[in-house]
Amino acid sequence: MPVPVPRPRAIPAVESGQAPAAHRGGPSKEETPRKEATVVDNAATTHHNLTLLLIQDDPGGSPIVPDLLDSAGKPIRVRTARNLTEAERLLTDDVHCILLDLALPAPGRPADADGDHDELAVLKHVLQLAPRHAVLALTASSDAERGAEAVRVGAQDYLFRDELDGRLLSRAIRYAVERKRSDTAERKLAEGRLRAQENRRLERGLLPTPLLDGSSLRFAARYRPGRSRALLGGDFYDTVRTPDGTVHAMIGDVCGHGPDEAALGVELRIAWRALTLAGLCGDELLGTLQQVLEHERGDDEIFATLCTVDIAPDGRRAGLCLAGHPSPLLLRPGSRPRLLPYDNNGPALGLLPGARWPRMQVDLGSEWSLMLYTDGLIEGRVGEGRERLGQDGMVDMVARRYTAGLRGESLIQAAVTEARELNGGELTDDVAVVLLDRLP
């Protein structure tokens, strides 16, 4: 009887196609397979051969012949377990395939309502035990229906116990392993496609749809989360038009880059939209948002910067409130692009209880583009040194594109792309950009 082998939980050989290096040169101290399989193991371990685990209680001897070969002519390693408890101990991660005798009783399986036992209970138990391994079912030639049912339940194939020979079994093992790999790859591809679809639906639900019905302003936005494969980061933005014709725009940034910060950003955006549509503006609105932040954040050190703009119905004037956030960029034909005043900038939300945020009046003119952005756009590096793009570099970069005739989505797309190229790769921080255009 073999000595139990500890069962590590890692990626099994059925997916990696390789046996661990620890098995080279013969069995380890923890692994002493049955005598009839030891010769095969010693000859095979240096070649990363296929490994078969036979689960069969056969006192009269095993049907396994000693010359099982893989497609390269190398011996297939064989381990034998007499019951499921022993099989679980021998099911190390270098096992590629399991050959299971369906006549083996399953432990702890009660009879059903009719007093009958589930004929495939042992197979179902093994499939739960080894969901990532190839499984071959072994049954009698008179019970082909049971073998077919085993394949339907999850086995890769079935073989007849009384018709088994080395060549047939070797081919069946290779086929089962490759089929399991193919099934696993197909399942992962399907799961990846489904996850991508769900992610797109989730992202559409979390990112805002601007409410600008009746406004002559054009809206464009660009969003790139800094975390790899993330849907959203801590940046957030929104734009709505209230019944009096005023267009309100907002952009903000929760400190941090994790999912908690992303969720808090979504909460602040939704709260801002509700408060704006309820008629709040300026200092009153930001004070209420700070209360929301203080109640929803998981750490007292979490804060958020924010920039809000309310554009008058005639489109020529705007009110500006800054809560520790970079000032918007105003672009006008024939004029040098400039940052809006930053003198009365208030503190970020969540830093100072009872803080105030002055509202500044700004003249926009008859034709303009107003760009709101988060600091992810300006904190990228320029080249291989330590120099940052900064606001001055961003102004020059956007000015060139604006002068070249780019507007709307094309303008902000070009700006984000150039910032990324100057950084030498993906920007590490979240980036959000909102652009509002007023044409003559």
Side-chain angles (χ1 to χ4, degrees):
M1 181 175 180
V3 176
V5 179
R7 186 186 179 195
R9 303 308 302 166
I11 298 175
V14 69
E15 295 186 11
S16 67
Q18 295 184 347
H23 291 282
R24 296 174 182 169
S28 65
K29 295 181 180 178
E30 294 82 6
E31 179 182 351
T32 309
R34 295 182 66 178
K35 183 176 181 180
E36 62 266 31
T38 303
V39 175
V40 178
D41 285 350
N42 288 337
T45 49
T46 58
H47 301 291
H48 300 301
N49 304 55
L50 292 175
T51 301
L52 174 71
L53 175 61
L54 170 65
I55 308 177
Q56 181 189 43
D57 185 11
D58 185 8
S62 169
I64 303 301
V65 294
D67 56 347
L68 295 177
L69 302 176
D70 64 15
S71 59
K74 300 174 183 177
I76 295 177
R77 304 175 63 198
V78 180
R79 296 177 185 169
T80 304
R82 295 188 181 94
N83 52 58
L84 294 181
T85 301
E86 187 176 326
E88 184 173 3
R89 294 169 179 170
L90 290 174
L91 189 60
T92 53
D93 290 327
D94 59 334
V95 172
H96 296 79
C97 184
I98 298 171
L99 179 59
L100 172 67
D101 191 342
L102 296 181
L104 195 71
R109 293 280 182 165
D112 58 23
D114 298 326
D116 298 326
H117 290 273
D118 185 354
E119 293 185 345
L120 295 178
V122 65
L123 173 62
K124 295 174 182 177
H125 184 88
V126 169
L127 292 175
Q128 292 178 354
L129 187 68
R132 295 177 293 179
H133 290 75
V135 177
L136 289 170
L138 194 62
T139 188
S141 57
S142 60
D143 203 2
E145 183 177 346
R146 188 181 185 187
E149 181 67 12
V151 173
R152 189 192 68 80
V153 169
Q156 271 59 60
D157 204 349
Y158 69 93
L159 301 169
F160 295 136
R161 189 183 304 107
D162 47 351
E163 297 180 4
L164 203 61
D165 59 40
R167 184 178 178 182
L168 173 62
L169 180 56
S170 297
R171 185 169 65 248
I173 292 171
R174 298 196 301 268
Y175 169 76
V177 170
E178 292 304 321
R179 181 175 178 181
K180 183 64 177 182
R181 286 173 176 163
S182 177
D183 291 345
T184 300
E186 185 176 352
R187 186 188 72 251
K188 288 183 177 180
L189 180 61
E191 290 174 351
R193 289 173 176 169
L194 180 60
R195 186 162 49 248
Q197 293 173 358
E198 292 175 345
N199 287 349
R200 285 193 292 270
R201 288 196 294 269
L202 178 61
E203 188 172 35
R204 284 196 299 269
L206 294 179
L207 290 177
T209 300
L211 299 179
L212 291 174
D213 292 345
S215 173
S216 61
L217 300 183
R218 294 194 310 178
F219 170 89
R222 179 71 176 170
Y223 191 95
R224 291 179 67 91
R227 294 180 296 127
S228 175
R229 299 177 66 183
L231 295 176
L232 291 177
D235 292 2
F236 55 99
Y237 65 87
D238 203 353
T239 305
V240 298
R241 180 177 183 267
T242 48
D244 64 356
T246 302
V247 172
H248 303 259
M250 171 273 290
I251 196 165
D253 182 2
V254 178
C255 68
H257 309 286
D260 291 339
E261 288 76 11
L264 182 55
V266 173
E267 290 181 89
L268 291 174
R269 177 186 67 77
I270 295 174
W272 177 87
R273 173 176 285 200
L275 294 171
T276 299
L277 293 176
L280 274 67
C281 184
D283 184 74
E284 185 180 9
L285 185 149
L286 292 176
T288 307
L289 282 181
Q290 174 157 283
Q291 295 180 38
V292 173
L293 172 65
E294 291 171 346
H295 283 88
E296 296 297 330
R297 63 186 176 183
D299 189 316
D300 289 343
E301 296 183 357
I302 297 295
F303 64 90
T305 66
L306 197 71
C307 167
T308 67
V309 176
D310 55 279
I311 302 170
D314 63 8
R316 304 179 66 93
R317 296 169 291 105
L320 171 66
C321 285
L322 296 174
H325 200 88
S327 185
L329 175 62
L330 178 63
L331 304 105
R332 292 187 292 199
S335 301
R336 169 71 181 171
R338 65 182 179 88
L339 297 171
L340 294 185
Y342 193 78
D343 299 339
N344 291 326
N345 181 32
L349 302 181
L351 289 184
L352 299 176
R356 304 300 298 271
W357 295 270
R359 179 174 176 273
M360 298 170 281
Q361 285 286 344
V362 180
D363 291 327
L364 301 177
S366 59
E367 182 179 354
W368 48 263
S369 295
L370 187 63
M371 191 177 86
L372 288 66
Y373 54 93
T374 57
D375 57 10
L377 182 64
I378 60 177
E379 290 187 348
R381 299 188 183 277
V382 178
E384 297 181 357
R386 304 178 65 86
E387 181 183 357
R388 304 281 185 176
L389 177 62
Q391 285 183 294
D392 292 339
M394 180 205 66
V395 171
D396 293 338
M397 178 180 69
V398 175
R400 290 195 309 271
R401 304 288 183 172
Y402 187 81
T403 303
L406 294 184
R407 299 291 187 273
E409 179 69 30
S410 298
L411 177 61
I412 58 178
Q413 172 65 41
V416 173
T417 299
E418 185 173 347
R420 179 183 177 276
E421 292 173 351
L422 291 172
N423 189 59
E426 287 293 344
L427 298 165
T428 57
D429 199 2
D430 307 325
V431 177
V433 182
V434 171
L435 188 68
L436 293 170
D437 294 306
R438 184 177 190 269
L439 302 178

